């Protein structure tokens, strides 16, 4: 494949200047036959000049491609995020008592965002207190749609130029689902140094017809009957 690309580039390098020189020669001959005393560059000079210009353009394209390739391949995604998910039925248990304050109302140290989409009513809490010790995100999603379902999968997905990572939790059927997400995607160069990189970070809640006992089959093969996606962070760089 690389050889074919190189041969194609070489053919363009030779063909494009030749075509330019042949077209120019028509006007050059017309100029000579007109008897004008103003001197024009010869077709050979135009062909050589076209080769030089085309070579500069090709070098620029190759350099840009190499820089983009190196930028993407030289950065390693290491997801340092965690997701914990539970249902409305679990919310009252002692194990999740620390999150009972996230009930749709304002919470100190967090910005709140709510909305409705595709049958879901959701509320997202983003931690704004940089010195706090709480979790980074809490998402509450209630499904009011008409689709029949028996299980859910809660995921947090990180997509970047250098790859993607995802964590998923399967849950039993419930009307309301909670997700607690901690950490932030991290990127490193080949020497292990932390670097900044652009990425998309998304929370996804998908509802499926199969029950939890068929969770692997549902997530891998079945299409969800309802789905909610929430962007946790816009592209950074």
């Amino acid at each position: 494949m690389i050889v074919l690309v190189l041969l194609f580039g070489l053919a363009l390098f030779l063909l494009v200047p030749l075509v330019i020189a042949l077209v120019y020669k028509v006007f050059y001959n017309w100029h000579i036959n007109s008897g004008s005393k103003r001197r024009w560059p010869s077709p050979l000079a135009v062909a050589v000049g076209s080769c030089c210009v085309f070579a500069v353009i090709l070098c620029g394209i190759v350099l840009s491609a190499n820089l983009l390739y190196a930028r993407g391949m030289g950065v390693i995604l290491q997801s340092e995020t965690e997701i914990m998910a539970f249902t409305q039925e679990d919310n009252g248990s002692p194990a999740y008592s620390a999150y009972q304050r996230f009930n749709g109302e304002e919470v100190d140290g967090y910005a709140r965002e709510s909305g409705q989409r595709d049958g879901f009513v959701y509320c997202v809490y983003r931690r704004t207190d940089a010195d706090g010790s709480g979790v980074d995100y809490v998402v509450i999603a209630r499904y009011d749609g008409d689709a029949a379902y028996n299980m859910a999968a809660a995921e947090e997905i990180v997509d970047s130029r250098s790859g993607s990572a995802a964590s998923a939790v399967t849950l039993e059927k419930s009307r309301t689902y909670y997700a607690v997400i901690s950490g932030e995607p991290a990127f490193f160069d080949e020497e292990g140094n932390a670097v900044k990189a652009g990425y998309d970070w998304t929370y996804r809640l998908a509802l499926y017809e199969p029950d939890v006992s068929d969770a692997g089959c549902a997530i891998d093969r079945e299409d969800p009957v309802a789905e909610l996606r929430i962007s946790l962070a816009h592209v950074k760089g």
Side-chain angles (χ1 to χ4, degrees):
M1 179 61 70
I2 296 177
V3 174
L4 291 176
V5 172
L6 291 176
L7 290 175
F8 181 73
L10 180 61
L12 284 179
F13 178 75
L14 297 175
L15 183 60
V16 172
L18 178 61
V19 171
I20 293 175
L22 289 176
V23 173
Y24 172 79
K25 187 177 181 180
V26 174
F27 294 94
Y28 179 81
N29 290 337
W30 174 84
H31 174 73
I32 294 297
N33 294 330
S34 68
S36 174
K37 295 182 179 181
R38 186 175 180 181
R39 187 173 182 180
W40 282 15
S42 67
L44 178 61
V46 170
V48 173
S50 299
C51 285
C52 294
V53 172
F54 196 62
V56 171
I57 294 175
L58 284 179
C59 289
I61 294 174
V62 172
L63 180 60
S64 298
N66 285 337
L67 289 175
L68 290 174
Y69 179 81
R71 183 180 179 183
M73 299 304 295
V75 177
I76 301 170
L77 166 63
Q78 178 180 324
S79 180
E80 295 184 345
T81 58
E82 289 184 2
I83 181 172
M84 176 177 65
F86 52 96
T87 66
Q88 179 181 359
E89 290 72 21
D90 299 325
N91 190 39
S93 66
Y96 303 104
S97 60
Y99 310 109
Q100 292 176 3
R101 62 187 178 132
F102 298 97
N103 57 6
E105 302 296 329
E106 296 288 344
V107 175
D108 291 340
Y110 286 84
R112 184 187 61 168
E113 178 183 316
S114 58
Q116 300 181 23
R117 188 188 311 158
D118 300 329
F120 290 92
V121 178
Y122 64 89
C123 182
V124 183
Y125 291 91
R126 291 180 171 87
R127 184 164 65 90
T128 57
D129 184 2
D131 297 328
S133 58
V135 294
D136 295 298
Y137 293 88
V138 177
V139 184
I140 307 172
R142 186 182 76 243
Y143 183 63
D144 292 337
D146 299 327
Y149 63 98
N150 293 298
M151 64 163 289
E155 297 179 87
E156 59 97 10
I157 306 166
V158 180
D159 287 312
S160 70
R161 186 189 298 272
S162 58
S164 62
S167 300
V169 179
T170 56
L171 300 164
E172 295 182 351
K173 181 179 180 179
S174 178
R175 187 183 181 192
T176 305
Y177 293 93
Y178 298 79
V180 178
I181 302 173
S182 303
E184 187 170 343
F187 297 82
F188 300 88
D189 60 21
E190 294 177 344
E191 297 179 354
N193 301 314
V195 296
K196 291 184 178 181
Y199 64 89
D200 287 319
W201 192 14
T202 305
Y203 167 74
R204 174 179 181 262
L205 176 63
L207 306 182
Y208 295 92
E209 287 184 338
D211 57 28
V212 175
S213 62
D214 297 324
C217 176
I219 295 176
D220 294 338
R221 300 178 184 177
E222 299 286 338
D223 292 329
V225 296
E227 182 181 44
L228 172 67
R229 289 179 178 265
I230 300 174
S231 176
L232 298 178
H234 297 293
V235 175
K236 298 180 180 180

